[in-house]
Amino acid sequence: MSCRWKSSRVLQTWARPLNSEQLERRKETGCRLRPCKMALQLPDLPTLKIFSFLDAFSLLQASQVNREWNRVAENDHLWRNLCLKKWSFCNFSKCLGSQTWKQFFFKQTKQEYQMALAQPEDFIFKEATGNLGILGPMAYLSGNGPTMGGREKSIICTVSSKHMLYAWDVQEGTMIWSSPVQQPSITHLATLPQMHLAFTVDLEGTVKVWNCQDQDALATFPVSQACFSLEVCLTKDGPFLMVGNSEGDIYTLTVPELRGVSKVHAFKYTVDLLHCSPDKKWVFASGTHQNILPRVFFTECLLKPSEGKSPLSLSIPFSSCCRACWAPRRTSRITLMYRRGSSKKTGFTTFDLMTERTGGRTVIQAHQVATFLLPVHMESPIWMGASDGNMIVFESGPYLFLFTISGHQLQRFEDHQRTIGNLWADSLHVLTTSMDDSLHVYMWEEEGRYPYLKSCCHLEHIGSDLTPSCYVSKAICDNMSIVCVVSKNRESSILVMYSLHT
């Protein structure tokens, strides 16, 4: 029996009033009824320790027992830990503003609940058209926080084929900033919402950082080779940017100065994938070339390189990796999607990572916990997402599947009539868009409870123009909005923005 469960049951039992049957029995046996009073008053420190094992609901129950418990249950450290456990981005003070951690917890939970129940009529629809060019990568620059004037805003960035970076106010449906035209086209985009910064890489390998307010970039860094991956890593030592190029090198740069910290030669071929683990302890790097074995780096060795020493890393013995996802709540667990053989069979394999002291030195160990191949008749997926570390989600044709990491099918969703062209997932949401320009919203159930993944809302036709798209639509979301790029012709895209009524 876990400490968390026992603590919760004890607190609930002590706090529970007597029912009518118990009251009657006490009267019959002559027991005197006295006001419920704590038999033992613990000091704050052990009480805090006990309360730290509780979930939010149990902590609220405990706070109703008496004044002392109520005071301890309001402790900001307890609510901060609950936020850190549930939302990985809560480790930065700008998420809070003037709120307490408890207020932040309830605000985020309320927004999740509203999104989970939302129907098409609950959204405000905005559409940006015009000479935007074909919109490529997009990412949230900010969201779920108050701006000047007290209103909550979701701001996104999009890259255009017109060699420009745009910033949009989703609630207003308006462009609020655009960069000057860049001579080489922009190929990759990453954002750091906690600092309101956007990072771009162009065809010539020039990295730039933007605050999306000033005309010029805050800093630039020439990589000299074409770049194929970009990852922002917010650590306890500050933010860093990692860039993978066509020569197999990984650059680590300071933010926002873009000053070089380290350069590691990881592969003989292109670094196509760079993913930082949720706790920022690990960096996963891979290429899609069939001869590349993915590598996992100990992040601290990239951020604080030792002269003459190679950074601590481990090659994972699975080639032809095409996707990878860290488990949001099991921070040292990663699942890889790979293709094997002449028939390009798709498989998934999952590893747990750890460090170990051996012979006076630290080494990385990777323990394979599960692996499986998809049935031959199943159409190979392109996209994937992960939840609690035991389940993965992926598309196949018009269907969305939820499997365990060992290959057991849990759910199949049939919310699209045509092939799913894009899947986007984070620790809370899963979005799918199909070739018929429909969009569907799913949400993970908390702590892996059945039905695991909940089908929430279907938006039948994205946008007002019913002309079929000539490119695959793609979508992202936060707790207040959904943004989708739709391309009805080969010269310009439409940015479709949905925001929840507040």
Side-chain angles (χ1 to χ4, degrees):
M1 187 183 295
S2 70
C3 292
R4 172 179 167 181
W5 189 89
K6 288 193 293 185
S7 302
S8 174
R9 295 295 296 172
V10 168
L11 291 173
Q12 291 177 41
T13 302
W14 287 352
R16 189 184 299 129
L18 298 175
N19 60 36
S20 58
E21 185 179 334
Q22 291 169 321
L23 287 169
E24 191 63 35
R25 192 180 302 120
R26 283 202 171 195
K27 287 179 182 178
E28 290 173 0
T29 57
C31 291
R32 269 193 318 156
L33 298 176
R34 292 178 296 177
C36 180
K37 197 162 67 171
M38 285 294 298
L40 177 65
Q41 293 229 340
L42 294 173
D44 283 2
L45 199 57
T47 306
L48 268 173
K49 182 65 175 177
I50 294 170
F51 283 8
S52 70
F53 293 104
L54 303 181
D55 58 23
F57 179 75
S58 300
L59 188 57
L60 288 174
Q61 286 185 307
S63 71
Q64 299 177 49
V65 172
N66 58 37
R67 289 181 181 177
E68 286 303 307
W69 280 23
N70 181 273
R71 178 180 58 79
V72 176
E74 290 291 317
N75 186 282
D76 219 34
H77 182 73
L78 293 173
W79 290 99
R80 177 181 179 273
N81 285 343
L82 287 171
C83 289
L84 288 170
K85 183 179 178 183
K86 193 170 183 181
W87 303 292
S88 59
F89 57 82
C90 291
N91 60 351
F92 204 78
S93 59
K94 286 191 177 183
C95 290
L96 277 180
S98 59
Q99 305 169 97
T100 64
W101 284 105
K102 182 179 179 180
Q103 289 170 335
F104 181 81
F105 182 94
F106 281 104
K107 175 188 140 188
Q108 289 292 122
T109 303
K110 180 182 177 182
Q111 288 178 344
E112 287 178 23
Y113 184 72
Q114 289 174 330
M115 180 65 86
L117 296 180
Q119 295 302 305
E121 59 270 19
D122 298 320
F123 290 96
I124 300 171
F125 168 80
K126 302 284 185 179
E127 192 176 88
T129 60
N131 193 19
L132 302 178
I134 296 298
L135 299 179
M138 61 177 172
Y140 276 92
L141 184 64
S142 66
N144 301 329
T147 58
M148 293 180 63
R151 290 189 61 205
E152 292 185 344
K153 295 282 189 182
S154 294
I155 309 296
I156 66 155
C157 285
T158 60
V159 170
S160 168
S161 61
K162 291 186 169 295
H163 300 202
M164 298 173 73
L165 177 67
Y166 300 138
W168 303 83
D169 181 327
V170 176
Q171 278 69 31
E172 297 296 327
T174 57
M175 185 190 298
I176 57 175
W177 175 86
S178 63
S179 72
V181 175
Q182 306 298 294
Q183 288 308 315
S185 61
I186 301 171
T187 57
H188 291 79
L189 169 70
T191 58
L192 184 58
Q194 297 90 338
M195 295 180 68
H196 203 83
L197 295 175
F199 306 86
T200 59
V201 174
D202 61 34
L203 274 176
E204 293 182 354
T206 302
V207 183
K208 295 185 179 182
V209 56
W210 311 82
N211 62 10
C212 297
Q213 295 175 1
D214 299 326
Q215 184 178 18
D216 296 323
L218 299 180
T220 62
F221 183 89
V223 175
S224 75
Q225 299 289 340
C227 298
F228 288 84
S229 51
L230 199 60
E231 177 78 344
V232 187
C233 187
L234 183 58
T235 74
K236 65 181 187 310
D237 296 316
F240 295 87
L241 181 69
M242 296 178 185
V243 186
N245 72 3
S246 59
E247 298 295 309
D249 299 320
I250 300 173
Y251 291 80
T252 301
L253 312 173
T254 61
V255 171
E257 305 87 0
L258 297 186
R259 186 176 64 252
V261 175
S262 65
K263 175 187 174 183
V264 175
H265 186 67
F267 309 113
K268 184 178 177 181
Y269 304 96
T270 300
V271 182
D272 297 297
L273 304 174
L274 270 180
H275 299 302
C276 212
S277 65
D279 62 355
K280 317 308 177 192
K281 183 177 179 179
W282 313 99
V283 175
F284 173 86
S286 184
T288 55
H289 194 280
Q290 62 181 1
N291 293 331
I292 286 182
L293 295 181
R295 288 179 71 181
V296 175
F297 292 88
F298 194 56
T299 307
E300 188 174 342
C301 295
L302 298 178
L303 306 184
K304 301 174 181 178
S306 298
E307 190 172 348
K309 284 187 177 181
S310 298
L312 187 60
S313 68
L314 176 73
S315 293
I316 297 178
F318 263 85
S319 60
S320 303
C321 173
C322 50
R323 297 283 175 191
C325 285
W326 292 99
R329 293 181 177 87
R330 299 189 66 167
T331 53
S332 292
R333 175 166 290 185
I334 189 166
T335 298
L336 282 57
M337 181 167 75
Y338 62 90
R339 305 203 199 283
R340 285 283 174 81
S342 57
S343 60
K344 294 294 182 183
K345 289 183 181 178
T346 299
F348 297 88
T349 184
T350 303
F351 291 88
D352 282 341
L353 300 166
M354 62 197 77
T355 53
E356 191 177 274
R357 293 288 294 177
T358 302
R361 64 192 185 95
T362 302
V363 296
I364 300 175
Q365 299 283 353
H367 172 60
Q368 187 180 33
V369 294
T371 187
F372 72 96
L373 283 170
L374 290 180
V376 178
H377 68 269
M378 184 177 284
E379 188 175 331
S380 291
I382 299 174
W383 310 95
M384 68 171 291
S387 62
D388 64 347
N390 295 315
M391 292 177 286
I392 54 175
V393 63
F394 57 87
E395 95 296 345
S396 179
Y399 307 117
L400 182 70
F401 288 93
L402 186 69
F403 272 60
T404 65
I405 57 174
S406 57
H408 176 63
Q409 181 181 319
L410 298 174
Q411 291 173 276
R412 185 178 88 162
F413 297 92
E414 302 179 15
D415 296 302
H416 293 285
Q417 299 299 313
R418 297 183 61 187
T419 299
I420 295 173
N422 189 269
L423 181 153
W424 177 90
D426 65 5
S427 60
L428 299 174
H429 317 90
V430 175
L431 298 184
T432 55
T433 55
S434 77
M435 303 305 290
D436 61 1
D437 286 341
S438 64
L439 181 151
H440 203 89
V441 182
Y442 306 85
M443 290 191 73
W444 296 108
E445 289 288 357
E446 190 173 354
E447 297 180 356
R449 289 196 292 264
Y450 184 83
Y452 315 120
L453 189 63
K454 179 183 176 183
S455 176
C456 296
C457 178
H458 191 77
L459 301 173
E460 191 64 42
H461 290 286
I462 306 166
S464 57
D465 185 353
L466 302 184
T467 306
S469 291
C470 55
Y471 295 110
V472 173
S473 302
K474 49 187 177 289
I476 59 175
C477 77
D478 62 6
N479 283 337
M480 302 186 298
S481 64
I482 303 171
V483 180
C484 187
V485 170
V486 181
S487 300
K488 301 293 185 179
N489 60 63
R490 299 187 182 277
E491 296 180 358
S492 187
S493 297
I494 300 170
L495 192 66
V496 181
M497 293 165 273
Y498 298 92
S499 55
L500 279 173
H501 288 283
T502 55

